[in-house]
Amino acid sequence: SPHWSYGGAANPTQWGKLSNDFTMCELGKDQSPINIKNAIEDSPAKISFDYHPSPLSVVNNGHTIQVNYAQGSTVNINGEKYSLLQFHFHTPSEHEINDRASAMELHLVHRNETGKLAVVGVMLNEGKSNPLIAEIWEQIPDVGTTKTVSDRLINVANLLPNNKAYYSYAGSLTTPPCSEDVSWNIFVEPITVSEEQIETFAKIYQVDARPLQPINSRTVQLHL
Ligand code: BO1
Ligand code: ZN
């Protein structure tokens, strides 16, 4: 499959031209990320997490640092159950909230039985260091490789903010093939990571964020 990147000749403005499989990146009308603004207050939080510990498996895939998660952790959104597959990071944040970007953004990627994807997003602001991020960063392998530490269990519930209020909207994968019909759910409350933790990631990936996409006819809901 063709290469894509965040800078140079295969930068995000070119993704749709790199492959017939990537046409949604150029032609899709429900693309992500977006600037989250003018959210409409909807019914209270309809999201619940059933996350369990997993062995730590860290992938440096050339686009991001990704942690593959053991089977059996789920999120329930609107009565629909999705299984957690992996989580990964972007810097700076891909989404903005009321015109504000964060230092980083965490994406928890889930899939239901019909194949629909739901991503839970957490904004990461500079502040106190996060102990679970520290454990993950300790294991970052060379680009193109995976490091699995079977005897080290992590619980991704430790990367969620206390307040579970969130925004939701219909969007896409933020990387090729930019497929749509992705359920986006982004917490209002950020978590913090230290300046040093941000720097560790930024040394590997200076920028791995797609630019903001037009909202077009979509609305964003706010679940308090
Ligand atoms: S993101 O959360 O919008 N940045 C994002 C971007 C790409 C993917 C997932 C999330 N890719 C998909 C692959 C699927 C795979 C799934 C879970 O990730 O297209 O084939 O099953 O790893
Ligand atoms: Zn992502």
Side-chain angles (χ1 to χ4, degrees):
S1 101
H3 64 281
W4 55 269
S5 59
Y6 290 99
N11 75 71
T13 68
Q14 305 303 311
W15 287 354
K17 306 184 196 310
L18 297 174
S19 163
N20 287 332
D21 298 334
F22 298 172
T23 54
M24 287 307 278
C25 300
E26 191 163 77
L27 300 178
K29 297 290 177 233
D30 294 336
Q31 291 288 291
S32 296
I34 59 167
N35 183 6
I36 294 168
K37 295 179 86 145
N38 308 316
I40 297 161
E41 197 174 321
D42 197 357
S43 45
K46 296 170 282 188
I47 198 162
S48 61
F49 296 87
D50 187 14
Y51 285 168
H52 300 286
S54 165
L56 180 55
S57 182
V58 188
V59 187
N60 183 347
N61 64 22
H63 301 295
T64 186
I65 302 301
Q66 177 172 313
V67 175
N68 290 334
Y69 215 75
Q71 284 184 29
S73 285
T74 59
V75 64
N76 191 304
I77 306 169
N78 273 325
E80 188 72 50
K81 190 168 137 184
Y82 297 86
S83 297
L84 177 63
L85 303 173
Q86 49 105 336
F87 62 87
H88 62 266
F89 301 86
H90 299 267
T91 189
S93 67
E94 296 204 297
H95 290 87
E96 292 184 5
I97 298 179
N98 296 319
D99 305 306
R100 297 242 195 163
S102 288
M104 298 185 66
E105 186 173 334
L106 162 65
H107 289 159
L108 300 140
V109 184
H110 309 74
R111 189 174 53 210
N112 74 4
E113 275 171 349
T114 73
K116 183 179 168 83
L117 294 180
V119 184
V120 172
V122 184
M123 301 304 245
L124 276 54
N125 285 352
E126 187 182 319
K128 271 186 53 182
S129 77
N130 181 293
L132 178 47
I133 298 285
E135 281 206 71
I136 297 165
W137 275 198
E138 273 175 35
Q139 307 301 335
I140 293 176
D142 291 338
V143 66
T145 69
T146 300
K147 185 153 158 190
T148 303
V149 194
S150 311
D151 59 357
R152 181 152 321 169
L153 294 181
I154 59 159
N155 193 337
V156 73
N158 295 326
L159 294 177
L160 305 182
N162 294 323
N163 186 333
K164 300 297 189 288
Y166 66 104
Y167 299 103
S168 69
Y169 78 95
S172 75
L173 301 181
T174 65
T175 66
C178 308
S179 318
E180 295 187 340
D181 197 32
V182 175
S183 164
W184 274 96
N185 307 274
I186 299 179
F187 286 114
V188 175
E189 181 181 311
I191 65 168
T192 66
V193 288
S194 68
E195 180 178 21
E196 183 190 353
Q197 290 179 321
I198 296 164
E199 193 53 36
T200 297
F201 188 89
K203 273 190 180 141
I204 308 168
Y205 293 110
Q206 291 72 28
V207 173
D208 66 339
R210 187 188 195 189
L212 294 174
Q213 302 296 305
I215 190 155
N216 297 321
S217 51
R218 291 174 287 177
T219 57
V220 179
Q221 273 69 48
L222 171 59
H223 311 272
L224 289 173

